[in-house]
Amino acid sequence: MNTNKYSAEQNNEPIEQKEFSLDMIFKSFLRFWWVCLICAVLFAGVSVYRSYKSYSPRYSSSATFTVQTQTGSSFSAGLTSYSFSYNRSAAKQLSSTFPSIISSHILQDIVCNDMGLPYFPCALSASSVPDTNLFTITAEGSDPDLTYRTLKSVIKNYPVVSEYVLGNTELNILHEPVLPEEPSNHISYKGQVVKKALLGFAVGLLWVVFYAFKRNTLCSRYDVRRKLNQNCLGSLPEVIFKKHKNDIGRSVSITNSHVGSGYTESFRAFRNSLVNKLGDRKIILVTSTAPGEGKTSVSANLAASLAQMHRRVLLSDGDLRNPSLREFFGIADNAPQSADENSKLKVTSIPVGENDSVTLLCFPNGSENIWGILSPKRVENLFASVRNKFDYIIVDTSPIGITSEPSVFAQFVDAAVMVIKQDTIRTSSVINSLDTLLSSDVELLGCVLNGTSGGYDGYGSKYGYRYGSYGRYGYGYRYGYGYGYGEKSKKRHRNTAK
């Protein structure tokens, strides 16, 4: 069995170090933004609910006044308004004793008797301006009317209690207490919702960052070499078609002028690397772990790129469950084509340059007789009959991670290439796919990392499509790529390839 283990150090090739980048976080956020949204809604909802259930309205009423004491020289003169005075030492004494008098049980008992209540109904607090006789009393309770009446009773009975400490006193009201109409502890649900929603969103974002840091996918050439121990033949950038008023071609093809030179140059580098490793081998199998990784576009562009080197190239659509090469090239069902009467194979010539073309070979439509079509003997005879007629034969197969058909083709090809969508499939799944592929004793030339971030300017600076579910495999079913062609956004269109 050929394990084709690759060591970059042995080939003296530079290896870029893996970096935990903002791009990885951004991609994880695009995939799991709903987690942040759910956390924001959950935090805000729980906070509002708890506040609502525990909320008890409190009403407060305040009074501001000055306190004057009767001087010692005026005791004999009787309690007239002129016998009360104020000085600094008296003010200091008032400031130290006033809060304790207000909170004393003596005053509270007198107030309860005055109001005919068995308990003191609210909480009192007192404050003063230092070195003055200016004071403020605040009463707070759950009943607005009772709170107001309690404060009035406190003001009325304060001189009675203070007489034992300060002597005769007189209160001059500056600000009369008023009956409270609204709770003093009114809850601002709007501010609370915003605050808790931001907190929940931040918690969700932290989870996204942790997920991006911990998730085990392939994000760079370094990952391909270190985690898979395989050669990375190339890195193809993501292509995004910007919005255009005209109906431009949106096929991710190197023959499409709107794709941009960045992707074309990257693909040419991949092709050259592959050709250097091929030697005299000519039948190449292209597969992937799951749908949506771009194996079809890689197969088609590889065939076109080799044909532009003036080579005779045969491109075979070996994905019988979901044949897509005709759709990729925009070939109508009624387009001219030839067919082998015995095998019913459909052959179409596709121009990829002024004097260059790719021969496209498709199996019969329908998947009800897959194993009859893909019997090992028939596949072996097919490749034997076309081997000497072409310089290169590219076989686009179904994903090997979820179907067994690629293993049939792998027995009769010369080499294989694995397409990996950047930061999409778990490394363990890719490793299982490689083990399945290599068990067919095929030589794996390496992997190509597809849909990488960054890229180049032009009509498309990135190359890609959305990765959908693994889809449904089975007789009579097409596996789904999840997201279709020409998906629109407000500013640009994303092309979908298979």
Side-chain angles (χ1 to χ4, degrees):
M1 181 183 297
N2 179 19
T3 56
N4 192 33
K5 298 299 181 182
Y6 177 84
S7 171
E9 292 79 1
Q10 293 175 359
N11 288 269
N12 297 320
E13 295 183 16
I15 295 180
E16 67 273 21
Q17 294 297 318
K18 178 182 178 180
E19 297 181 356
F20 181 61
S21 63
L22 292 177
D23 184 70
M24 294 171 61
I25 298 176
F26 180 69
K27 284 190 173 184
S28 298
F29 176 77
L30 289 181
R31 180 175 296 179
F32 294 107
W33 58 269
W34 52 270
V35 173
C36 299
L37 182 60
I38 290 177
C39 288
V41 173
L42 187 62
F43 271 60
V46 170
S47 175
V48 170
Y49 177 77
R50 292 181 61 184
S51 298
Y52 173 77
K53 295 296 290 184
S54 61
Y55 176 66
S56 177
R58 304 287 293 177
Y59 299 88
S60 63
S61 181
S62 301
T64 303
F65 50 85
T66 60
V67 180
Q68 290 181 320
T69 59
Q70 188 178 32
T71 60
S73 62
S74 60
F75 284 152
S76 60
L79 296 177
T80 66
S81 60
Y82 299 101
S83 65
F84 292 90
S85 63
Y86 161 76
N87 56 54
R88 184 176 295 274
S89 61
K92 184 175 182 181
Q93 185 181 14
L94 284 170
S95 297
S96 61
T97 60
F98 184 78
S100 59
I101 293 175
I102 292 298
S103 59
S104 67
H105 292 290
I106 298 176
L107 178 60
Q108 293 183 7
D109 291 341
I110 294 175
V111 170
C112 289
N113 292 330
D114 182 43
M115 298 178 65
L117 297 175
Y119 62 92
F120 197 74
C122 58
L124 294 177
S125 61
S127 62
S128 63
V129 178
D131 297 330
T132 70
N133 63 339
L134 184 65
F135 299 92
T136 298
I137 298 179
T138 300
E140 185 179 61
S142 58
D143 185 292
D145 181 67
L146 194 58
T147 300
Y148 170 72
R149 291 192 294 112
T150 301
L151 181 59
K152 295 283 287 185
S153 179
V154 168
I155 296 173
K156 170 186 172 183
N157 292 286
Y158 172 79
V160 177
V161 179
S162 65
E163 181 179 359
Y164 298 100
V165 180
L166 302 172
N168 293 328
T169 58
E170 183 180 70
L171 303 183
N172 298 317
I173 304 298
L174 302 179
H175 176 71
E176 290 282 353
V178 296
L179 179 67
E181 297 180 354
E182 294 183 356
S184 59
N185 63 337
H186 179 72
I187 298 178
S188 175
Y189 285 107
K190 181 179 179 181
Q192 188 177 33
V193 166
V194 172
K195 181 179 178 181
K196 295 301 182 180
L198 290 176
L199 177 61
F201 190 87
V203 171
L205 191 59
L206 286 176
W207 181 88
V208 169
V209 172
F210 179 78
Y211 169 83
F213 182 76
K214 286 295 186 180
R215 69 188 306 238
N216 189 15
T217 57
L218 302 165
C219 300
S220 65
R221 291 173 177 262
Y222 173 73
D223 287 343
V224 173
R225 297 173 184 178
R226 179 176 63 88
K227 296 180 179 181
L228 303 181
N229 201 21
Q230 294 292 334
N231 177 27
C232 186
L233 298 172
S235 178
L236 306 178
E238 184 183 14
V239 171
I240 296 176
F241 292 100
K242 295 180 181 178
K243 189 175 182 179
H244 199 277
K245 61 181 180 180
N246 297 325
D247 186 16
I248 63 173
R250 300 185 183 279
S251 174
V252 184
S253 171
I254 60 174
T255 60
N256 184 0
S257 60
H258 297 302
V259 167
S261 60
Y263 178 77
T264 305
E265 290 299 325
S266 297
F267 205 95
R268 186 176 293 116
F270 158 62
R271 178 204 64 188
N272 293 338
S273 177
L274 179 65
V275 170
N276 289 336
K277 291 189 174 295
L278 275 175
D280 58 355
R281 290 162 292 195
K282 58 173 59 178
I283 304 180
I284 310 160
L285 179 145
V286 180
T287 188
S288 63
T289 298
E293 294 193 78
K295 63 173 184 58
T296 296
S297 60
V298 170
S299 301
N301 285 321
L302 178 59
S305 184
L306 291 171
Q308 290 174 350
M309 297 172 62
H310 310 299
R311 300 292 191 271
R312 297 170 300 168
V313 180
L314 174 67
L315 176 59
S316 174
D317 196 341
D319 191 347
L320 274 67
R321 298 180 189 267
N322 190 26
S324 51
L325 283 174
R326 291 176 63 84
E327 185 179 2
F328 180 87
F329 287 110
I331 302 174
D333 293 337
N334 58 356
Q337 60 186 3
S338 60
D340 187 310
E341 292 297 331
N342 295 323
S343 62
K344 304 299 182 182
L345 298 177
K346 299 177 181 180
V347 180
T348 307
S349 180
I350 303 171
V352 294
E354 293 183 1
N355 301 312
D356 303 312
S357 64
V358 171
T359 301
L360 175 62
L361 183 149
C362 298
F363 288 90
N365 292 334
S367 59
E368 65 279 356
N369 192 27
I370 289 179
W371 295 113
I373 297 172
L374 291 185
S375 64
K377 189 63 176 178
R378 293 191 65 179
V379 174
E380 181 180 15
N381 291 339
L382 172 63
F383 288 155
S385 64
V386 297
R387 176 180 289 273
N388 295 328
K389 297 179 182 180
F390 296 93
D391 298 313
Y392 295 104
I393 300 171
I394 311 298
V395 183
D396 175 37
T397 68
S398 55
I400 195 169
I402 45 182
T403 64
S404 57
E405 291 93 307
S407 299
V408 177
F409 286 104
Q411 300 175 51
F412 307 105
V413 300
D414 299 329
V417 173
M418 175 70 74
V419 178
I420 300 173
K421 177 75 183 299
Q422 184 193 48
D423 193 27
T424 300
I425 309 298
R426 291 186 178 275
T427 303
S428 58
S429 298
V430 179
I431 291 176
N432 291 336
S433 299
L434 290 175
D435 290 340
T436 302
L437 182 63
L438 295 174
S439 65
S440 302
D441 202 28
V442 64
E443 180 177 0
L444 181 62
L445 295 179
C447 305
V448 54
L449 195 62
N450 195 20
T452 59
S453 59
Y456 307 85
D457 294 330
Y459 248 97
S461 61
K462 296 181 178 181
Y463 163 60
Y465 37 79
R466 296 177 183 263
Y467 166 69
S469 63
Y470 281 5
R472 302 170 66 185
Y473 272 82
Y475 295 109
Y477 291 102
R478 292 164 60 92
Y479 55 82
Y481 286 88
Y483 300 89
Y485 292 84
E487 181 183 355
K488 294 183 179 180
S489 64
K490 292 183 179 180
K491 295 185 178 180
R492 50 190 173 182
H493 297 269
R494 292 178 180 265
N495 181 271
T496 304
K498 298 174 180 175

